[in-house]
Amino acid sequence: MAGGKHGKLLDPGSPAPDFRLPRLDGGPVTLREILANGPAVIAFFKTTCPVCQLTLPFLERIHKAGTLPVYAVSQDDAEDTREFNREFGLTLPTLLDTGRSGYPASEAFGISSVPSAFLIERDGGISRVIEGWSKRDMESLGGLAARRYSGRAKRTRMESRLRLAN
């Protein structure tokens, strides 16, 4: 994160701080709203970060599998972020945490380097932190998503269909 004061990166077991950030595609969202549907990965990145260019497409594949939502949190402006998403084929929901706004979410999570990803459970507790790139950690996250959350995704899709039918 450029130009911010760096706190300590939050650890597994810590409560995730709530935030309210603008979505790249418009409108704000809070962490509480994201977690209302179940656990999610929140991944902080910068568009100019070569390691992020490797990491985000992998997180996109986890997101597309439909078992565990992944939200990207860009520390860049909307124009650069849209270009990054186009270039790397990203369709996952993207939020903006910019220097212009003082990086409120990045500061709250103690981000000092990107990429940094957090698996946050429905109760708001952080269960996993991945800082930087580790193929083993990413594969482990993908496997965890498939094993632990696959039933949740099916239930959520079924609940959505039931709501639409009523």
Side-chain angles (χ1 to χ4, degrees):
M1 180 177 70
K5 55 182 189 248
H6 307 301
K8 182 183 179 312
L9 188 69
L10 296 179
D11 293 318
S14 300
D18 197 17
F19 56 72
R20 179 183 172 93
L21 293 174
R23 299 175 201 243
L24 182 61
D25 60 359
V29 68
T30 66
L31 180 59
R32 184 171 294 133
E33 292 167 339
I34 291 169
L35 298 178
N37 293 320
V41 172
I42 306 297
F44 293 84
F45 77 101
K46 286 192 79 57
T47 61
T48 56
C49 163
V51 178
C52 299
Q53 295 167 6
L54 175 69
T55 303
L56 271 290
F58 189 90
L59 292 171
E60 170 79 11
R61 290 192 296 276
I62 292 173
H63 180 76
K64 276 190 170 179
T67 58
L68 180 63
V70 177
Y71 287 77
V73 181
S74 175
Q75 295 180 334
D76 293 296
D77 66 32
E79 182 180 340
D80 290 343
T81 301
R82 275 191 199 90
E83 179 56 33
F84 180 90
N85 285 2
R86 266 192 300 275
E87 183 175 344
F88 293 96
L90 303 180
T91 61
L92 52 83
T94 304
L95 312 178
L96 300 172
D97 188 38
T98 65
R100 187 174 191 178
S101 65
Y103 303 110
S106 297
E107 291 291 341
F109 278 79
I111 305 297
S112 61
S113 64
V114 289
S116 291
F118 300 82
L119 173 56
I120 305 173
E121 300 298 332
R122 185 179 209 140
D123 67 1
I126 297 170
S127 62
R128 186 171 289 210
V129 178
I130 301 172
E131 188 175 20
W133 168 256
S134 163
K135 183 177 180 184
R136 181 182 307 164
D137 286 347
M138 288 295 164
E139 287 175 343
S140 174
L141 180 62
L144 178 70
R147 285 188 315 276
R148 187 167 161 199
Y149 302 112
S150 62
R152 184 198 65 79
K154 290 175 189 168
R155 283 191 306 274
T156 301
R157 284 193 297 269
M158 179 65 81
E159 289 165 358
S160 295
R161 279 183 258 173
L162 290 173
R163 277 190 294 253
L164 290 173
N166 291 331

